[in-house]
Amino acid sequence: MTPLIDSFGRRHDNLRISVTDRCNIRCFYCMPEENVKFEAREHVLSFEEIERFARIAAGLGVRKLRITGGEPLVRKDLAGLIRKLNAIPGIDDLALTTNGVLLAAQAEELYAAGLRRINIHLDTLDRERFRQITRRDDLNRVLDGIEACRRIGYGPIKINAVAVKNLVEPDIVPLARFGRERGIEIRYIEFMPLDAQGLWLRDKVLSADEMLAMLAREIGPLEEVPDRDPRAPATEYRFTDGVGSVGFIASVTRPFCLNCNRLRLTADGHVRYCLFAIEETDVRGLLRGGAPDEEIAAAVRTCVSGKWIGHQIGSQQFVPPPRPMYSIGG
Ligand code: SAM
Ligand code: SF4
């Protein structure tokens, strides 16, 4: 089996699977407040179709899977999918990204199905700002979800916080303290041009450098973690007092495209080689049209071999992708 290597020599062993484009909250940097255009239910892949695709991907050298959405926990019996994916030979890492709202109720079941690694999305500990960002009043449910995961023994637990300028500056330090007290890494994600309403502007990006300066000033010195996986998207820093670390996904100010090892499967069965890709490969038609595994594998190879060198956010050439974040799968 030849691995999935693109024309720039990048090896692809990481697949992010979106299981739905629906969501129970409405973060402004992802979804519109009303009249969200969701995929017709019959277009969304079944768990059997997702499992088959993941097996084919594992046969092509994929080793890591991450389940995402939309909000994956709104999909019925997600634990059933976790069990199926965990059983695929070759998959040695399975993780979930969730907004945490439904987590307290499902954390036990997901753990029993074999899930250990979880990223929970939380931008603020302030109830009013949470409501402003997500257009829902669910902060306490997310906090309960985080506590449930700690109690059950998930690890590592990470928190994803989207960093929008002139909005979340008061949250950067409290989140880091929250993480330090609980052994949770906060990963600050620079605001990317993936929102459904075209609100993104370069000057709405709170940069990794600005956040690092705030943390160093208010909490204490940080140093970059040495010997980390060069293909991981986050740059990690630890506090030099030995208590905790933070990560930055600085897609805008420190693009990491040259090390990218990721592919994406959308909820409606399209393979994308980049969050920002304009083109994509329809595998739902193949999965449902009786195509043999080899034909689906060949379609994935073609997709990877056409991968571009990287997104050009901030340049004149940049064109936002036709799908917003919730429809791609973050
Ligand atoms: N609903 C789940 C959640 O919120 O974690 C999973 C899907 S969501 C699309 C995945 C991640 O995308 C979230 O953790 C959020 O931090 C991030 N995200 C969404 N919109 C973004 C944007 N415009 N820029 C940067 N990150 C974004
Ligand atoms: Fe839903 Fe996640 Fe998008 Fe927020 S970022 S609207 S939680 S899919």
Side-chain angles (χ1 to χ4, degrees), residues 23 25 27 30-31 70 99 121:
C23 188
I25 61 176
C27 308
C30 178
M31 283 199 168
N99 64 28
H121 173 195

Side-chain angles (χ1 to χ4, degrees), residues 63-189:
R63 295 289 165 261
K64 290 178 159 209
L65 299 179
R66 177 173 293 275
I67 297 172
T68 181
E71 173 46 36
L73 299 193
V74 302
R75 187 103 188 233
K76 224 163 75 199
D77 190 29
L78 190 68
L81 178 66
I82 302 270
R83 252 187 301 275
K84 288 185 204 294
L85 297 179
N86 246 342
I88 297 177
I91 297 302
D92 48 43
D93 190 76
L94 179 64
L96 171 75
T97 300
T98 171
N99 64 28
V101 173
L102 299 173
L103 194 53
Q106 296 186 30
E108 291 272 10
E109 197 190 354
L110 294 169
Y111 191 88
L115 185 68
R116 296 292 178 270
R117 273 159 46 69
I118 194 157
N119 285 40
I120 302 162
H121 173 195
L122 176 65
D123 302 332
T124 177
L125 297 167
D126 178 89
R127 184 170 168 191
E128 191 40 50
R129 205 153 31 255
F130 185 96
R131 201 176 357 216
Q132 187 188 350
I133 293 172
T134 66
R135 294 128 164 180
R136 296 289 185 276
D137 189 14
D138 284 329
L139 172 63
N140 284 334
R141 300 178 76 185
V142 180
L143 295 174
D144 288 349
I146 295 170
E147 278 318 302
C149 288
R150 294 181 66 219
R151 197 174 54 243
I152 293 164
Y154 277 86
I157 303 172
K158 294 183 180 171
I159 287 181
N160 287 351
V162 180
V164 182
K165 202 166 189 153
N166 297 327
L167 180 67
V168 300
E169 283 84 345
D171 300 304
I172 303 302
V173 170
L175 276 174
R177 292 207 165 105
F178 178 88
R180 270 158 63 89
E181 283 157 16
R182 293 167 178 76
I184 294 175
E185 178 177 303
I186 311 293
R187 308 183 116 200
Y188 302 96
I189 308 178

Side-chain angles (χ1 to χ4, degrees), residues 184-246:
I184 294 175
E185 178 177 303
I186 311 293
R187 308 183 116 200
Y188 302 96
I189 308 178
E190 289 179 348
F191 179 26
M192 296 184 269
L194 290 167
D195 59 292
Q197 293 163 291
L199 300 172
W200 187 89
L201 287 173
R202 178 65 182 77
D203 62 14
K204 289 188 184 165
V205 179
L206 183 60
S207 72
D209 284 349
E210 289 170 287
M211 292 185 272
L212 263 172
M214 289 177 199
L215 295 171
R217 196 170 53 235
E218 306 267 335
I219 299 181
L222 299 104
E223 61 187 7
E224 202 170 330
V225 174
D227 302 329
R228 52 170 213 104
D229 176 1
R231 302 193 310 162
T235 328
E236 292 186 323
Y237 290 81
R238 59 188 178 207
F239 290 97
T240 55
D241 64 4
V243 186
S245 60
V246 290

Side-chain angles (χ1 to χ4, degrees), residues 298-318:
V300 176
R301 276 196 195 288
T302 308
C303 174
V304 170
S305 62
K307 180 160 173 160
W308 60 17
I309 191 160
H311 68 66
Q312 304 287 326
I313 299 175
S315 78
Q316 295 285 357
Q317 297 94 291
F318 180 74

